[in-house]
Amino acid sequence: MMSRRLDPARLLACALLTLAGVAHAAPDAEKLYATHCLSCHAPNRLGGMGPTLLPESLERLKKPAATKIITEGSPATQMPAFGGTLKPDEIQALTDWIYTPNSIPPNWDAADIKASRIIYPENIDLPAKPVFTADPMNLTLVVEHGDHHITVLDGDVMEPIHRFATRYALHGGPKFTQDGRFIYWASRDGWITKYDLWNLKVVAEVRAGINTRNVAVSSDGQYVMVANYLPHTLVALSGKDLSLVKVIPVVDRSGKSSRVSAVYDARPRNSFIAALKDIPEVWEIPYDGRPVYKGLVHDYQYKEAIAEKGPLPVRQIVLDDILDDFFFDQNYDYILGASRDKPKGQVIHLGAGRKVADLDLEGMPHLGSGITWDWTDKDGVTHPVMASPNLKDGKISVIDMKTWKTIKVIPTQGPGFFLRSHEATPYAWADVFFGKNRDVMHVIDKRTLEIVADLKPEPGKTATHVEFDRYGKYALVSLWEMDGALIVYDAKTLKEIKRLPMKRPVGKYNVWNKTRLSAGTSH
């Protein structure tokens, strides 16, 4: 039998190919994360000093933007640039990996919440007197997403009196106690902060979830309720020090769990209302001690049913369809809700716990940004109406809140995100947040339901989210750019008064308007 001689040239070629294969093996993203990212973003990508890096938390950040941040760093944060440390394929591997589900299902339970709480004892019992001379009920908080700060604005003279850093990426807007002294807000990563606005100090912080939507504060200030996407929970905290009161798993009667889209304080009802993302239910959670019973009860006086255990029992209102977005009438008797994939919205009577009407709301209405006012028709009849922008179509729908019929559809220059007004002005302001006309701000006459002005604060730059001062004298518009500005308009003449430079300002929240449930703003 003849032996085959090995060709030295072929051996060399095979060796080179093998080495080339090793040299170009796919980067190990998990090892790269452990080496360069874990210290700030924590094991399991749950977030620490840096934000959570899970698909649920990154849904609004596109992959190219994430690659840019890893490469170049993030301004005004502690995120360094890795462009000089990692190769392009390593950066791409990291980007792809953080958008994949975690191999270990993430969890955040009562023990995690309790362990995360931070108390600043020196700020617990500060004097109940503002440290500034401005009217404490005419302060406006401006959230600057560009560098994660809040600016406190004196609403009388439209000048900043304080600016402070926040956690990464606030979401859902700050919520106030009735006296306007304390405010609470949530970051997307689940951090809840209590802030003493009169003393300009942080009182306490706690991490209530991994991916959080918003918070609500009970009208008596006793409870803070947190809505979570991840895990599927509602978390009740003490309004005094953010200590844990209760973790409420969000599951329907068949055991299916759901993300929580948002939670609201229904002040006239002394309860929280939760919007659920994945199951066709609305939850009402009383905080005044009244009982909640499951199913039908023949006679409460004879105590024929067993009440749900408190505190904060859950009343589950079963619906025909999932509701992604909510609007409440001023008395919180009705919910106006819409589903992203349904051509009609629903009107739910909270007392009866059932649907009472359909709404013609095609596209993707943003009911959470709706407003109300009294409109008088050509015959002199006054109608309570609500109006909502649309995230998909260039239109604003105006609905009669007695008949639930659409009175008018106002065409706009593109889909919008926010609609705002004030009781003291005849105008409503609507942005065109999406598309080529994002620099336009429509001004609508609430009497004629017609657009009377198209403002362009800065051609080519996004103009968004209007808020008014306490008296409706000024309209504040955000120039939503990194080198942006807060633009102050005279709400009567529509003339620009001044600009205050800010880092991508978005939401603005006036203490008076929020605590008095102004019909011209969200609650």
Side-chain angles (χ1 to χ4, degrees):
M1 182 175 179
M2 294 180 60
S3 62
R4 174 183 287 178
R5 290 189 60 188
L6 296 177
D7 184 351
R10 180 173 293 180
L11 281 173
L12 178 61
C14 289
L16 290 174
L17 285 171
T18 301
L19 288 172
V22 172
H24 290 89
D28 189 328
E30 290 193 50
K31 287 186 178 180
L32 290 170
Y33 178 87
T35 302
H36 301 285
C37 314
L38 184 144
S39 61
C40 288
H41 295 278
N44 218 14
R45 292 184 273 158
L46 295 185
M49 182 186 300
T52 303
L53 299 178
L54 294 171
E56 301 90 339
S57 301
L58 297 170
E59 58 186 1
R60 294 197 179 188
L61 183 70
K62 303 300 183 184
K63 278 191 177 183
T67 301
K68 180 178 173 67
I69 290 173
I70 297 172
T71 304
E72 301 177 5
S74 182
T77 72
Q78 297 186 36
M79 173 68 185
F82 286 99
T85 306
L86 301 178
K87 298 175 182 177
D89 62 338
E90 292 176 321
I91 291 175
Q92 188 59 52
L94 263 177
T95 301
D96 294 338
W97 185 65
I98 63 177
Y99 281 86
T100 60
N102 208 310
S103 57
I104 303 173
N107 187 43
W108 197 257
D109 59 19
D112 296 313
I113 295 169
K114 292 176 181 178
S116 71
R117 190 165 66 107
I118 304 168
I119 293 289
Y120 300 91
E122 68 278 11
N123 297 338
I124 290 286
D125 294 311
L126 293 173
K129 181 181 179 181
V131 297
F132 44 80
T133 58
D135 177 2
M137 297 304 288
N138 199 21
L139 299 179
T140 294
L141 304 186
V142 185
V143 176
E144 298 182 64
H145 275 191
D147 60 357
H148 312 293
H149 277 70
I150 286 179
T151 289
V152 182
L153 195 69
D154 181 338
D156 289 330
V157 297
M158 289 296 153
E159 288 292 338
I161 62 173
H162 189 59
R163 188 174 190 266
F164 58 93
T166 69
R167 295 275 180 176
Y168 176 84
L170 303 192
H171 190 252
K175 302 299 190 297
F176 300 83
T177 53
Q178 293 302 293
D179 60 3
R181 176 177 177 181
F182 295 107
I183 51 176
Y184 304 82
W185 60 76
S187 76
R188 289 191 182 276
D189 286 349
W191 280 99
I192 313 303
T193 301
K194 178 180 181 179
Y195 190 82
D196 185 339
L197 187 56
W198 289 2
N199 288 282
L200 305 175
K201 299 287 185 181
V202 174
V203 177
E205 293 184 291
V206 67
R207 193 176 189 188
I210 298 170
N211 187 318
T212 294
R213 300 298 293 170
N214 77 324
V215 298
V217 182
S218 61
S219 57
D220 59 7
Q222 185 175 354
Y223 298 109
V224 177
M225 188 67 77
V226 184
N228 285 327
Y229 255 27
L230 188 67
H232 295 177
T233 58
L234 284 157
V235 175
L237 306 169
S238 164
K240 179 175 176 57
D241 59 6
L242 298 186
S243 57
L244 179 64
V245 175
K246 189 176 186 179
V247 176
I248 305 173
V250 180
V251 293
D252 66 12
R253 294 173 187 179
S254 70
K256 181 180 179 181
S257 69
S258 175
R259 295 166 290 176
V260 186
S261 297
V263 64
Y264 309 88
D265 173 40
R267 186 189 305 174
R269 300 181 62 84
N270 291 313
S271 63
F272 295 111
I273 306 294
L276 308 186
K277 184 74 172 175
D278 305 307
I279 58 179
E281 293 184 359
V282 171
W283 283 15
E284 181 173 21
I285 306 169
Y287 52 74
D288 60 359
R290 70 182 184 270
V292 169
Y293 300 92
K294 298 291 187 185
L296 299 175
V297 178
H298 178 260
D299 194 327
Y300 292 103
Q301 293 180 352
Y302 289 101
K303 299 182 180 179
E304 295 178 342
I306 299 174
E308 292 295 299
K309 292 182 179 180
L312 304 171
V314 176
R315 176 192 178 208
Q316 295 173 262
I317 301 173
V318 179
L319 307 174
D320 295 335
D321 295 304
I322 291 171
L323 297 184
D324 295 300
D325 199 11
F326 276 6
F327 179 85
F328 298 91
D329 69 317
Q330 285 293 103
N331 294 324
Y332 285 80
D333 292 326
Y334 296 96
I335 292 174
L336 283 68
S339 178
R340 291 286 182 256
D341 58 354
K342 300 289 183 180
K344 288 186 178 292
Q346 303 179 57
V347 181
I348 310 300
H349 189 282
L350 276 170
R354 62 182 179 85
K355 184 177 79 170
V356 296
D358 290 314
L359 297 171
D360 289 320
L361 288 172
E362 295 181 351
M364 197 177 290
H366 190 205
L367 293 173
S369 188
I371 63 172
T372 64
W373 71 91
D374 288 334
W375 172 73
T376 303
D377 65 19
K378 59 182 177 58
D379 297 320
V381 179
T382 299
H383 305 255
V385 301
M386 73 83 62
S388 169
N390 200 292
L391 301 173
K392 182 180 177 182
D393 301 324
K395 63 183 181 181
I396 292 171
S397 299
V398 183
I399 296 168
D400 187 316
M401 296 186 71
K402 290 294 185 183
T403 66
W404 308 115
K405 302 298 183 184
T406 300
I407 291 175
K408 185 170 184 176
V409 175
I410 304 171
T412 63
Q413 292 188 29
F417 208 92
F418 295 106
L419 179 66
R420 291 289 185 264
S421 187
H422 189 278
E423 288 81 352
T425 175
Y427 302 124
W429 296 53
D431 61 23
V432 184
F433 193 83
F434 305 97
K436 63 180 181 179
N437 297 316
R438 66 187 186 280
D439 54 358
V440 172
M441 180 67 65
H442 293 306
V443 180
I444 300 166
D445 191 316
K446 295 187 292 186
R447 299 161 296 190
T448 64
L449 307 183
E450 300 287 346
I451 295 174
V452 294
D454 291 331
L455 305 178
K456 277 195 176 185
E458 187 77 26
K461 303 294 180 67
T462 303
T464 187
H465 194 282
V466 173
E467 174 65 300
F468 291 80
D469 70 302
R470 170 179 179 173
Y471 305 104
K473 180 180 179 181
Y474 301 113
L476 314 180
V477 176
S478 289
L479 190 62
W480 199 63
E481 305 289 340
M482 191 60 187
D483 293 319
L486 181 72
I487 306 174
V488 182
Y489 285 90
D490 184 305
K492 185 176 182 180
T493 66
L494 311 183
K495 301 297 184 183
E496 181 179 328
I497 295 174
K498 66 167 65 175
R499 295 191 178 201
L500 302 173
M502 293 190 182
K503 297 295 185 182
R504 190 169 286 153
V506 57
K508 299 167 290 297
Y509 308 90
N510 179 267
V511 174
W512 178 268
N513 294 340
K514 293 298 182 183
T515 58
R516 297 308 182 270
L517 301 183
S518 168
T521 188
S522 62
H523 303 164

